[in-house]
Each structure stands twice: as structure tokens, then as C-alpha cells.
Amino acid sequence: MTIRISIDCMGGDHGPAATVAAAVSFVKRTEDVQMILVGQELIIRSELKKLKADSQERISIVHASEIVTMEDSLEVALRRKKDSSMRLAINQVKDANADVCVSAGNTGALMAISRYVLKTLPNVDRPAICSILPNQKDKPTYMLDLGANVDCEPEHLRQFAIMGAALFSAVEGQDKPTIGLLNVGEEDIKGNDVVKKTAELLREEHAKGVLNFYGNVEGNDIFAGTTDIVVCDGFVGNVTLKAVEGLGRFVKTVLTHEFKRNWLTMLGALIAKSALTTIGKRLNPSRYNGGSLLGLRGLVIKSHGGADAYSFEWAIQRAYDAAKNGVINRIELAMAALVAAPEIAIESSPCELGSPEIS
Amino acid sequence: MTIRISIDCMGGDHGPAATVAAAVSFVKRTEDVQMILVGQELIIRSELKKLKADSQERISIVHASEIVTMEDSLEVALRRKKDSSMRLAINQVKDANADVCVSAGNTGALMAISRYVLKTLPNVDRPAICSILPNQKDKPTYMLDLGANVDCEPEHLRQFAIMGAALFSAVEGQDKPTIGLLNVGEEDIKGNDVVKKTAELLREEHAKGVLNFYGNVEGNDIFAGTTDIVVCDGFVGNVTLKAVEGLGRFVKTVLTHEFKRNWLTMLGALIAKSALTTIGKRLNPSRYNGGSLLGLRGLVIKSHGGADAYSFEWAIQRAYDAAKNGVINRIELAMAALVAAPEIAIESSPCELGSPEIS
């Protein structure tokens, strides 16, 4: 099965210089992929030419006259810029020309347009953003929501848990991943009302065998790899993700600065180069670039806005993997199973089902 | 002025082995300090003997027959264990035998007992926990609340900002520190209702010249050092702090593992030892151990539960600095100034002030 990926080439800090280069590199190393590059045609063509990829058959271009900027309000992005590269890239998924769309643009706009164009899946109240972080066990920790919802009800968090588990199962090929609820302590009595009620819902799902709920986890458990999935509201998730990114940059700055301080430290770094390379690889945030917008009737992957070509290519990889593993179907099935619980079945009695036709 | 510090010797994962050793080391290197070691007398005496400090005149012991454990509920810690080392250590501050108390015990219990024994300062609705994190500018970022309040109203966050600024000014000797409000984006429209309303309150204080409000900051700004102080609710603060601690441990594990992989990487590490030492120093979380419980009528410093002697000594240093710089007075004055705003002055008309005597 060939995976067709639409790229919003104009999004992100580096624009086409990063996005087109990443797309070309990915096409070169992947047989069964087609790219639809969406954005200003002349610029994209020029980038392709630079990369000697202007005659690559598996790359096509869709021209878009507008660009959603980081400063654009949702109103402007959604209502005024109907010919933006972001909008047209998402349209490719809606029109079934692409299996998945990747953008490094404005997160709020991407979520709003995706939701407007693609609509949410049945039984999903709110889409969420799920990203992957590395952990001590050398496995991925899936974390959601990372910013789509700054206010969440317990029911939303329950749905995030279901969707996260479906994504994990599809991509990692492991059933019943463990789910942790991000809290200020492990004990049941800890946390605010929303978290306590969410824990009750997740325990119910665990008892029914729908989810593998581990219980509360704390901030440090994200990197300890205590659970496969960490669920939280978008405010907490976004702040936490950016804080750890900030610490990562800080650590990198200190490492680089200290190793470059004098010839002795540079020599040490040179001799220990293999170690530093491995360290860089294990901790490189680029490898974890690409958040999935979950709960929509189509796949959309959000790259970090500051992604360079290397990092953006990882987001494309994430998109490819998600499409290849039928993530949307998995989520749709999981959400349907959730709703098909006994309580709901009773509510949907023949009488009630018939009522709309009567009125 | 001699600073008198009471130590809850039984708290923390390592108990007296860490706390007594830290106290002895601190007394040795600091002239104007007296220590009151609170806990099981026999154990403390034996630790002092091991450290050849049993005849140190500036160290005294207060025996406590009970210990608050990490598993104790607030009810048990507060109502049942009235002779706990934690309780008696805080009592030293209340009874003016000590200027500040340090404990590595159960955070919830420490806050509850401190609040019960010491009471909150006038005009403070809720105490908060403020800790220090390192930043890229090689300066401290003060962050609060880190877990005392899992649900906050905008008014609470305003008070946290005032208290954080007073602490910063007192300890760092810098007036009008900049204050950032932790949010999911810099723009005013970002965030949930609580954060948006808090921003309004802080802008008002800024306009009045009470606070130096920078605006919204994001997670990465904590380590970028964008502002001197970062204000958030205790849920977000606690999760974020623990997440960055978790990442720190992860990075350390990877560094250590990779440098110890073979003789070449070990040689490199050996040659670059000075760099690694500096890196360790700049990023060592021990240096930042010690959260201040702010808003109480007495100083209490919370050490990390996992602190070893070295790390616990930093919490003692924090306590010493806070007491030396009259933090309580500074906070009391700042909170009084906040309330003395014109709107409030009008409310306190002679008529109303007289009413209690009339009735």
C-alpha cells in the first residue's frame, strides 16, 4: 500500500527550506510513499530544483496562494485564509487524495482547521494532541493532550486515554498498553476534582477490560517510562512539554559550552565522541518530533514549529507510520466499543431509537 | 545576628544519616548559626557521635517520640502525631526558639502542620511553595506554587506573585523582579479562564507599580530565564517540577552509562573531567534543593524527600538565607501594601470600623 502524504510546506520557522528538503529525503529512502507538496508553487519548484528532485515522479505540487502565520488569529486562519497551504494540505486528506497531512504551522490554527474540515470521529467530544517522549527504558512514552484543550472534563480525559491506547497499539504493535493519569501524587486522594473523577472513570474502564489503567503517575514517571501512555489536560501537557524542551536546550547549551572551553576538554570530547553521539541520539528531541491530532476523521501530524529538515523528516516518518498502521480505524473502533458499554445499550431502547421518526 | 534553625531530623528517605550530617557540616562552615535537631534523641546522639560533633555547643537536641511517614494521611499527621519531629520542629519557630525550620518529610503534612501551628500571614488566603530552578542566564528562576494548592483562583495566583516577588527581593537583593504567568502561549488570548483573569489582576498591579509583570510565559521560559519569577497553580507547578527532575535523572543516567561504556569513552571523560564537573555543578539539582513555604507567620523550608546530606545542606543554606534576609517581614509588608489599595481604603470608613464595638 502506497502512503500518500500532504505537506504544508509553508508552515514552521524554516518554511520550504526545511519542509521540502525533508519530503525529498523521505521519498528517496522510502519506496511506497507519494508526497503532495502544498504551498507557493514557484518557491517549492525552486527548492525541488536545488535538491535535484524536480523530476521526482512521486512528488506533486498543489499551489496555495496564502500562508497561515504564527500571529494569525483562529478567525483569520479559519475564515479568511481559505486558500492557505495549511487548509489545502488538510483538504487533501478530506478529499481522499492523501492519507495523512503534516504541518509545522500554528498549532491552534492547525487544530481548528483540521476540526472544521475533517470533523471529529463519532463519539469523540474533543480531539487531542499526542506526542512521544523518550524514557529510561529506551521505549516511547505517549503523552496527551499537549495543548488542544486547556480546560478538560473527566469525560474528555477518558476519551484521551482510549485514543492514546488505540494509537499506541496501532503504531507500536502492542495491545493493552498501560495508562497513567498525570497527577501530583500516586495516591488516590491526591489531585484536583477533575483528576480524581477521571481516575474513577478509568478504573471503571479497567474493570471492564477496556483499558489497562495503571493509576496516577507523577511528572517524573514520564521519563521513567512507568506507563506507556500518560494522560493529562492540554494546559498541563503543554506547559510540561515545553518545560522539558527548555531544560533539554539548557543542558545542551551547558554541555556544548563546557566541552568547547579549552583544548583539553575538546580533546576529551573528541575521544569520547562515540559516547557523545549516542547521548545526542538518545536524547535528541528531533527524533520525537511529530504530534498526532487524534479524534478526527483523518490523520494530521503537527511538527514542532522550529523543526529543521532533519527534525521535520521525523514528523513525516510519524505520519507514514500512523497511516500505514490504520490509526484512524483503530481509534474509531475503540471509541465505538467504549460507547457500546451495557449502560448505553440500555438507553438505546427501540422506543427511544424510534422517537425521531415519530416527532 | 545568629540564625537559629530547627531541623526535622526524621524526615526524608535518608532520615538522620542525611539530616544530622548536613546540619553538622553547615554549623562547621557557618559562624552565626545555631541548630536545634528535632527527633529521636538516641539516634541523633549516635549520629552526632559518629560525626565527632557530640560536643558542638551550637547544636542542641529536642526529643520527639513520633515520626510523620510518607504514608500518613493529613489527619494522622496533624491530629494524632502531636509529638512528631515535624510538629516539634515547627513548634520551635512558633515559640520563637528558631527563626526557620527545615524538613524533608511529607510535603502535604508539612504544609498542613505549618499552617495549623504558625497560621497564615494577614491578607494571605493560601500559602504556597516556592522553589528555585537554574536558568540559561546563570541566574535563579523562582517558581511557585509547586504543589500546595491543586486548585487556584486568580486571587490566589495574584498573592503568589506578590509573595514570590517579596522572597526574590529579600534573598537576591534585587527590587522589582520580573514576573511571568505560566501559560500555553504568550498571547493574552491564550490559556484557561483562571490564567486569563489572573493576567488581568497582574496587569492591574503592574499599572499601580506594585509588581513588575512581564506577561505570559511558556514552559521553556523557566529555563531560558525570561523572568525572575514564574507563577502557576500547584498542580501545574508540581507536575512540571517533577517532569524536569525526571528528565534530569534520565539525562544523567544516559551520560553516565555512555561515558562508562568502554576504555576510550572513559578516557575521554577523564580528560574532559573539568568540563563534566562544571556541567554537573551547573545542572546539579541538589544546589537548588529547598522550597520555601510562603505566606505563613514563620519560615519553613521543604527539602526534597530524596535529599542526601549534601543536598539537604543546600536546603539549610536556603533556610539560613531566608531568615537572614527577613523574608517574613518583606512578605507581610508586601501583602499589606496590596490590601492598602484605594478601593479597600474606601471600604474601611470610620462608620464601618466602629461597628463591631456598637453591636
Side-chain angles (χ1 to χ4, degrees), chain A residues 18-43:
Chain A
T19 55
V20 175
V24 167
S25 166
F26 192 82
V27 164
K28 275 185 189 161
R29 67 179 176 83
T30 317
E31 286 281 314
D32 57 348
V33 74
Q34 284 182 7
M35 292 281 175
I36 304 167
L37 305 184
V38 186
Q40 302 197 318
E41 188 167 0
L42 285 177
I43 299 176

Short mmCIF file of all heavy atoms in Angstrom, two decimals, chain A residues 18-43:
data_model
loop_
_atom_site.label_atom_id
_atom_site.label_comp_id
_atom_site.label_asym_id
_atom_site.label_seq_id
_atom_site.Cartn_x
_atom_site.Cartn_y
_atom_site.Cartn_z
N ALA A 18 13.07 23.76 4.91
CA ALA A 18 13.07 22.56 5.76
C ALA A 18 12.06 21.53 5.26
O ALA A 18 12.38 20.34 5.11
CB ALA A 18 12.74 22.94 7.20
N THR A 19 10.84 21.97 4.98
CA THR A 19 9.78 21.01 4.68
C THR A 19 10.01 20.27 3.36
O THR A 19 9.83 19.06 3.28
CB THR A 19 8.41 21.73 4.64
OG1 THR A 19 8.46 22.81 3.70
CG2 THR A 19 8.03 22.29 6.00
N VAL A 20 10.42 21.02 2.33
CA VAL A 20 10.62 20.38 1.02
C VAL A 20 11.83 19.45 1.08
O VAL A 20 11.79 18.32 0.58
CB VAL A 20 10.78 21.44 -0.09
CG1 VAL A 20 11.12 20.77 -1.43
CG2 VAL A 20 9.51 22.28 -0.22
N ALA A 21 12.89 19.91 1.75
CA ALA A 21 14.09 19.07 1.87
C ALA A 21 13.76 17.77 2.60
O ALA A 21 14.21 16.69 2.20
CB ALA A 21 15.17 19.84 2.62
N ALA A 22 12.96 17.87 3.64
CA ALA A 22 12.59 16.67 4.41
C ALA A 22 11.75 15.73 3.55
O ALA A 22 11.95 14.51 3.56
CB ALA A 22 11.80 17.10 5.66
N ALA A 23 10.81 16.30 2.79
CA ALA A 23 9.95 15.47 1.95
C ALA A 23 10.77 14.73 0.89
O ALA A 23 10.58 13.53 0.66
CB ALA A 23 8.88 16.36 1.29
N VAL A 24 11.71 15.45 0.29
CA VAL A 24 12.55 14.84 -0.76
C VAL A 24 13.38 13.71 -0.16
O VAL A 24 13.46 12.61 -0.71
CB VAL A 24 13.45 15.92 -1.41
CG1 VAL A 24 14.54 15.27 -2.26
CG2 VAL A 24 12.61 16.88 -2.25
N SER A 25 13.98 13.99 1.00
CA SER A 25 14.82 12.97 1.64
C SER A 25 13.99 11.74 2.00
O SER A 25 14.43 10.60 1.80
CB SER A 25 15.46 13.58 2.90
OG SER A 25 16.00 12.59 3.71
N PHE A 26 12.77 11.96 2.48
CA PHE A 26 11.93 10.83 2.87
C PHE A 26 11.53 10.00 1.65
O PHE A 26 11.53 8.76 1.70
CB PHE A 26 10.68 11.33 3.62
CG PHE A 26 9.92 10.22 4.29
CD1 PHE A 26 10.32 9.75 5.53
CD2 PHE A 26 8.81 9.63 3.68
CE1 PHE A 26 9.62 8.71 6.16
CE2 PHE A 26 8.12 8.60 4.29
CZ PHE A 26 8.53 8.14 5.54
N VAL A 27 11.20 10.69 0.56
CA VAL A 27 10.81 9.98 -0.67
C VAL A 27 11.97 9.12 -1.17
O VAL A 27 11.78 7.98 -1.60
CB VAL A 27 10.36 10.99 -1.75
CG1 VAL A 27 10.34 10.32 -3.14
CG2 VAL A 27 8.98 11.54 -1.42
N LYS A 28 13.17 9.68 -1.08
CA LYS A 28 14.36 8.96 -1.57
C LYS A 28 14.57 7.65 -0.81
O LYS A 28 15.00 6.66 -1.38
CB LYS A 28 15.61 9.83 -1.43
CG LYS A 28 15.79 10.77 -2.61
CD LYS A 28 17.12 11.53 -2.48
CE LYS A 28 17.19 12.63 -3.54
NZ LYS A 28 18.20 13.64 -3.18
N ARG A 29 14.30 7.66 0.50
CA ARG A 29 14.60 6.46 1.29
C ARG A 29 13.38 5.57 1.53
O ARG A 29 13.49 4.55 2.18
CB ARG A 29 15.25 6.84 2.62
CG ARG A 29 14.39 7.58 3.60
CD ARG A 29 15.17 7.86 4.90
NE ARG A 29 14.40 8.66 5.83
CZ ARG A 29 13.50 8.16 6.67
NH1 ARG A 29 13.24 6.88 6.68
NH2 ARG A 29 12.84 8.95 7.48
N THR A 30 12.22 5.97 0.96
CA THR A 30 11.02 5.17 1.17
C THR A 30 10.32 4.89 -0.16
O THR A 30 9.94 5.81 -0.88
CB THR A 30 10.04 5.92 2.12
OG1 THR A 30 10.78 6.49 3.19
CG2 THR A 30 8.97 4.99 2.66
N GLU A 31 10.17 3.60 -0.46
CA GLU A 31 9.60 3.20 -1.75
C GLU A 31 8.13 3.58 -1.89
O GLU A 31 7.74 4.24 -2.84
CB GLU A 31 9.72 1.67 -1.89
CG GLU A 31 11.09 1.16 -2.17
CD GLU A 31 11.48 1.31 -3.64
OE1 GLU A 31 10.64 0.96 -4.49
OE2 GLU A 31 12.60 1.80 -3.92
N ASP A 32 7.36 3.14 -0.91
CA ASP A 32 5.90 3.19 -1.05
C ASP A 32 5.30 4.47 -0.47
O ASP A 32 4.43 4.43 0.39
CB ASP A 32 5.28 1.96 -0.39
CG ASP A 32 5.65 1.86 1.07
OD1 ASP A 32 6.58 2.59 1.49
OD2 ASP A 32 5.01 1.07 1.79
N VAL A 33 5.79 5.60 -0.96
CA VAL A 33 5.23 6.86 -0.48
C VAL A 33 5.09 7.86 -1.63
O VAL A 33 5.89 7.85 -2.58
CB VAL A 33 6.11 7.45 0.66
CG1 VAL A 33 7.40 8.05 0.12
CG2 VAL A 33 5.34 8.49 1.45
N GLN A 34 4.03 8.65 -1.57
CA GLN A 34 3.85 9.75 -2.52
C GLN A 34 3.67 11.02 -1.71
O GLN A 34 3.00 11.00 -0.68
CB GLN A 34 2.61 9.53 -3.38
CG GLN A 34 2.82 8.48 -4.45
CD GLN A 34 1.59 8.29 -5.32
OE1 GLN A 34 0.62 9.04 -5.21
NE2 GLN A 34 1.63 7.30 -6.18
N MET A 35 4.27 12.10 -2.20
CA MET A 35 4.17 13.37 -1.48
C MET A 35 3.37 14.39 -2.29
O MET A 35 3.59 14.55 -3.49
CB MET A 35 5.57 13.97 -1.27
CG MET A 35 6.44 13.18 -0.34
SD MET A 35 5.99 13.51 1.39
CE MET A 35 7.09 12.31 2.16
N ILE A 36 2.50 15.09 -1.60
CA ILE A 36 1.82 16.22 -2.21
C ILE A 36 2.32 17.46 -1.47
O ILE A 36 2.01 17.65 -0.28
CB ILE A 36 0.29 16.10 -2.07
CG1 ILE A 36 -0.17 14.77 -2.68
CG2 ILE A 36 -0.41 17.28 -2.74
CD1 ILE A 36 -1.62 14.41 -2.32
N LEU A 37 3.12 18.26 -2.16
CA LEU A 37 3.68 19.45 -1.52
C LEU A 37 2.73 20.62 -1.75
O LEU A 37 2.47 21.00 -2.90
CB LEU A 37 5.06 19.75 -2.09
CG LEU A 37 6.08 18.60 -2.01
CD1 LEU A 37 7.45 19.07 -2.51
CD2 LEU A 37 6.19 18.06 -0.60
N VAL A 38 2.22 21.19 -0.65
CA VAL A 38 1.23 22.25 -0.77
C VAL A 38 1.85 23.58 -0.34
O VAL A 38 2.44 23.67 0.74
CB VAL A 38 -0.01 21.94 0.10
CG1 VAL A 38 -1.09 22.98 -0.14
CG2 VAL A 38 -0.53 20.53 -0.18
N GLY A 39 1.72 24.59 -1.22
CA GLY A 39 2.27 25.91 -0.89
C GLY A 39 2.51 26.71 -2.15
O GLY A 39 1.97 26.38 -3.21
N GLN A 40 3.35 27.73 -2.01
CA GLN A 40 3.58 28.60 -3.17
C GLN A 40 4.44 27.87 -4.20
O GLN A 40 5.61 27.57 -3.97
CB GLN A 40 4.18 29.91 -2.67
CG GLN A 40 3.20 30.53 -1.65
CD GLN A 40 3.41 31.98 -1.36
OE1 GLN A 40 4.54 32.44 -1.23
NE2 GLN A 40 2.30 32.71 -1.25
N GLU A 41 3.82 27.63 -5.35
CA GLU A 41 4.40 26.72 -6.34
C GLU A 41 5.81 27.11 -6.77
O GLU A 41 6.70 26.25 -6.84
CB GLU A 41 3.47 26.63 -7.57
CG GLU A 41 3.93 25.56 -8.53
CD GLU A 41 2.87 25.22 -9.58
OE1 GLU A 41 1.78 25.83 -9.54
OE2 GLU A 41 3.14 24.36 -10.41
N LEU A 42 6.01 28.39 -7.01
CA LEU A 42 7.32 28.82 -7.52
C LEU A 42 8.41 28.53 -6.50
O LEU A 42 9.50 28.04 -6.85
CB LEU A 42 7.30 30.32 -7.83
CG LEU A 42 6.55 30.69 -9.13
CD1 LEU A 42 6.53 32.20 -9.32
CD2 LEU A 42 7.21 29.99 -10.34
N ILE A 43 8.10 28.82 -5.25
CA ILE A 43 9.09 28.58 -4.20
C ILE A 43 9.39 27.08 -4.05
O ILE A 43 10.54 26.65 -3.96
CB ILE A 43 8.60 29.15 -2.84
CG1 ILE A 43 8.40 30.67 -2.97
CG2 ILE A 43 9.56 28.82 -1.72
CD1 ILE A 43 7.83 31.33 -1.72
#
